[in-house]
Amino acid sequence: MKQYGDLKNNKFRTQKIAYRALVEVKICPAALNRGSYVALAVTEDLIRKRAEHNECVIATLEELSLHQQDIECIEYLDKWCRDLKILYLQSNLIPKIENVGRLKKLEYLNLALNNIERIENLEGCESLKKLDLTVNFVGQLTTIKSLKDLTHLKELYLTGNPCTEYDGYRQYVIATLPQLKMLDGQEVGISERILAVQALPEIQGHIIQQQKTYQEKREKQRLEEAEDTKKKDNKWYTDINTTSESLSDNEPKEEVIEKTEEEIDKEFWEEKTPYTPESRIRVHQYMEKKKKKEERKVRGPDVPPRVIRLETDDGRMLNVNEAKIDFELRDDEEQNVTVLDVAIYKHLDTSHCDVDVQPTYVRVTIKGKVLQLVLQEEVKPDSSTAKRSQTTGHLVITMPKTFRRNLAYLSCMTLFALGNPVSTYARHESGLWRKKTPKSRKVKEMVKPANQKENIQLKQMPASEVSSKGLEKLEVDPTLLNKMNLDIVKENELKLQPKIPLLGSKINQRQTTERKNSADFVDDPDVPPLI
């Protein structure tokens, strides 16, 4: 498919593909029938960006500037912005005035530097006061009759259009539009208007004849432009289809001289072409191509997008927060569950969120962005629940654990409450906690009762006696509680404690002697004592 070239002359299949592209790229459908360069049309996002002064509200917008946006088709403005008073559309590629007839409050319309060839579709702009069509391609001067009923139109600018070169152009416009006060920046006088009305019957014939001559010239320009485009396309296809096998060894091979960018640029700008809408579009295409090439040089080679890995090569899951969203992962020991609280945006629709709970990890997808967390303990995916708050928008995922938490910590705390240091106990192979003599501290062994291997005997409760909360309890033999000898522990603790002198004791006080008074000392009662 050609790169949006002469779409009018393409086959039905190409035309079908081009129409399919309209849905995705928002292309002006009218451009396909004109056989011209396809540019982007007016979109809602574009208008909202230009409506920042009105808090991005387009329904009450009164002034809109869409200049230098490469627009080729005016759309939706008469439906979205009914209250427009000032509209700037200069420096675009608009070939036709359309979809502005319902703007009843429009007072100023600027369409300078576009590709307009006719003045039309402005009859509904009842409040229009100023119309600027500077530097366009208006050759059909008789189309200004469509502005005759616009009683508020006071200023009209047609400078730079082919119609301004017609003999009697100014007199014809002044006589046709009696409400004008200024034409092309020059004020219209009373005497000038009277003379123009008197000469209108004679001037009108000359204007029509000159207009017909220009239309014939314009048709030739269109045909020449179409032939040039066709030759360039044929040359491009020929260069691609030509192979080294098609050339015989006897035929001389022409050396292909590659031109530098400077030579190509110089050749393009020195080429003599008539100033037409087609040549203006071609210049625009060339400038866009050159601009992209320069941006590519500054930016460097295109870096491939980063691939988000959710697991390693050996199948281990990774922690990923592609969405860059806040979350909180906590364990609830009482309920024996793991809870994940994801701070999803309050106004985000729930249909954009997806939750996947697995035994070892949980994955939350938010508008295609992944939040994946590896869990420390296995959970039950079938019993997990996901709820979203209507107030804050947070997503809360509750995942029950598969296994209950180990009771080693709780057992140590129980032993410590009975008077035994936690550090002197270790886990035995049988599953019971037994005493272990520390190496770093020299403490005498505790006195063991007769027929007892240890001071305390612990045994696990059967599974039938597990409490309703799911915690396993340890049972201590009550006969051993009275036989515990803690004197050695207390004695060693007292030995290890440093001796700190009591406050006010005379241990650290220095023994000082009072010095005798000198011989010339006089005890004066009026002098206060020294403190």
Side-chain angles (χ1 to χ4, degrees), residues 426-434 460:
R427 186 72 177 269
H428 194 262
E429 294 179 357
S430 62
L432 299 177
W433 286 83
R434 298 193 176 183
Q460 292 183 351

Side-chain angles (χ1 to χ4, degrees), residues 484-511:
M484 294 179 63
N485 189 356
L486 303 179
D487 296 337
I488 299 176
V489 178
K490 293 181 180 180
E491 181 181 352
N492 283 278
E493 289 180 356
L494 292 175
K495 289 181 180 180
L496 295 175
Q497 292 179 355
K499 295 183 178 180
I500 302 174
L502 298 176
L503 185 63
S505 60
K506 299 182 179 181
I507 296 175
N508 294 331
Q509 293 183 1
R510 296 177 59 184
Q511 298 296 333

Side-chain angles (χ1 to χ4, degrees), residues 330 332 335-341 355 357 362 379-387 395-401:
R330 62 180 182 273
D332 190 346
Q335 302 295 333
N336 196 36
V337 295
T338 301
V339 181
L340 174 61
D341 187 351
V355 180
V357 180
V362 58
V379 298
K380 300 177 182 179
D382 298 338
S383 303
S384 302
T385 59
K387 299 180 180 180
L395 177 65
V396 180
I397 305 172
T398 306
M399 300 166 283
K401 298 179 182 178

